[in-house]
Amino acid sequence: MDQEHNNKERSASLDLLLRFQRLLVSKLYPGDCVGQVPNTYSPDLLGVGSLLKKYTALLCTHIGDILPVATSIASTSHRHFAEVSRVVDGDLTGILLPELVVSIVLLLSKNAGLMQEAGAIPLLAGLLEHLDRFNHLAPGKERDDNEDLAWPGIMGSFFTGQSCRNNEEVTLIRKADLENHNKDGGFWTVIDGKVYDIKDFQTQSLTGNSIL
């Protein structure tokens, strides 16, 4: 609810769609009928499922038209990507789609038979390629991928109590070294005792140097 107060710029029509989407999900969420035998759903429930499928189809059609254009513009530069991401985040793609996906996954875990009857999941699967192409343009994607691949090792060291650095050498940087580096045009900063090079991020950021 706190996030709702920060979305005052959201259009009335978009807000209405979000409320309608939540209403559909709430009608499909199992209440007293948990454990109901498949293929014995009431006509009203099947009607809501059919309505969810039509709603999802319209939403996916819109997003399927928007994302290729957004990807084409965002591929120009990191600044274009940041600006396009901001626009997409305030569009149906950023507001309705994430909540719809989470809701459908929740409904699928609660009542898989009903969701299969509704048939909305294959429609969402058609967006994966568009979303993947757009996300691959994100700055630092390779680093994120490497971190994802390293995750089991991180978890392993966490549970065994070993340092995630293992035998990796730690470079100590003196305050004078940091100041001299920044005077020469670099952009090192200290956060919680660790030195980070944010020079590349400086060129991508839309906030300006004063905030950084």
Side-chain angles (χ1 to χ4, degrees), residues 5 24-25 35 38 48 70 73 88-89 95 97 100 105 117 125 144 154-155 165 179 209:
H5 295 297
L24 287 176
V25 172
V48 177
I73 299 173
V88 170
D89 190 49
I95 295 177
L97 182 62
L100 179 63
V105 170
E117 288 281 344
D144 293 340
I154 294 174
M155 292 303 293
R165 288 192 180 91
E179 292 175 349
N209 291 339

Side-chain angles (χ1 to χ4, degrees), residues 78 187 197-205:
H78 291 325
F187 207 153
D197 186 351
I198 59 174
K199 181 68 176 178
D200 292 339
F201 180 74
Q202 178 189 12
T203 61
Q204 302 167 13
S205 174

Side-chain angles (χ1 to χ4, degrees), residues 19-40:
R19 290 173 181 270
F20 175 71
Q21 176 176 296
R22 289 173 177 174
L23 179 63
L24 287 176
V25 172
S26 67
K27 293 293 184 182
L28 290 170
Y29 192 82
D32 298 331
C33 58
V34 176
Q36 188 173 11
V37 180
N39 302 323
T40 61

Side-chain angles (χ1 to χ4, degrees), residues 109-141:
S109 67
K110 294 290 185 180
N111 201 332
L114 178 60
M115 293 310 298
Q116 289 175 356
E117 288 281 344
I121 297 175
L123 298 173
L124 290 171
L127 294 177
L128 290 177
E129 186 176 351
H130 295 303
L131 289 168
D132 193 52
R133 287 177 180 172
F134 183 80
N135 288 333
H136 269 71
L137 297 175
K141 186 266 302 180

Side-chain angles (χ1 to χ4, degrees), residues 122-200:
L123 298 173
L124 290 171
L127 294 177
L128 290 177
E129 186 176 351
H130 295 303
L131 289 168
D132 193 52
R133 287 177 180 172
F134 183 80
N135 288 333
H136 269 71
L137 297 175
K141 186 266 302 180
E142 293 82 4
R143 182 187 66 247
D144 293 340
D145 286 348
N146 291 333
E147 290 177 355
D148 289 341
L149 291 173
W151 182 250
I154 294 174
M155 292 303 293
S157 63
F158 174 80
F159 286 116
T160 56
Q162 300 173 354
S163 172
C164 62
R165 288 192 180 91
N166 294 329
N167 296 324
E168 177 185 348
E169 290 188 6
V170 178
T171 302
L172 298 179
I173 299 177
R174 298 175 302 169
K175 183 178 180 182
D177 295 332
L178 183 142
E179 292 175 349
N180 290 332
H181 178 81
N182 288 348
K183 287 179 182 178
D184 294 337
F187 207 153
W188 287 356
T189 186
V190 180
I191 302 174
D192 293 334
K194 297 178 181 178
V195 178
Y196 295 87
D197 186 351
I198 59 174
K199 181 68 176 178
D200 292 339

